[in-house]
């Protein structure tokens, strides 16, 4: 796996972004590329980190961060099409 690439879980989605879990802290303002795999096909978009909150862990090696991501308008429309099709 290349540096800076990791598999994550989407915790939440809103009209403007996503909340994901990360094994690394990311600074607010960082631009990231997001690849989503769904039963409705792949989705790729760009996002800006809006927040990074450490999640309590029993041991330091299990440290995780909740990362808030803001997507641009075009990216959000494409993503929500994939997510709403998943929910149907």
């Amino acid at each position: 796996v290349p540096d800076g690439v990791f598999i994550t879980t989407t915790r939440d989605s809103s009209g403007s972004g996503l909340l994901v879990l990360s094994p690394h802290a990311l600074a607010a303002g960082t631009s990231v590329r997001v690849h989503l795999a769904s039963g409705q096909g792949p989705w790729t978009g760009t996002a800006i980190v809006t927040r990074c909150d450490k999640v309590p862990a029993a041991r330091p090696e299990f440290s995780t961060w909740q990362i808030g991501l803001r997507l641009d308008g075009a990216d959000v429309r494409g993503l929500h099409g994939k997510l709403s099709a998943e929910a149907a």
Side-chain angles (χ1 to χ4, degrees), residues 9-59:
T9 302
T10 304
R11 299 286 299 168
D12 189 20
S13 68
S14 69
S16 61
L18 298 170
L19 181 65
V20 299
L21 293 178
S22 170
H24 311 285
L26 299 172
T30 300
S31 179
V32 297
R33 192 101 176 120
V34 179
H35 301 280
L36 173 74
S38 79
Q40 301 301 315
W43 175 89
T44 299
T46 57
I48 300 296
V49 175
T50 58
R51 71 178 216 220
C52 179
D53 301 316
K54 191 168 186 176
V55 177
R59 297 179 59 170

Side-chain angles (χ1 to χ4, degrees), residues 36 41-44 71-84:
L36 173 74
W43 175 89
T44 299
L71 302 165
D72 77 27
D75 285 342
V76 171
R77 286 189 295 278
L79 172 63
H80 284 269
K82 298 286 184 191
L83 294 178
S84 58

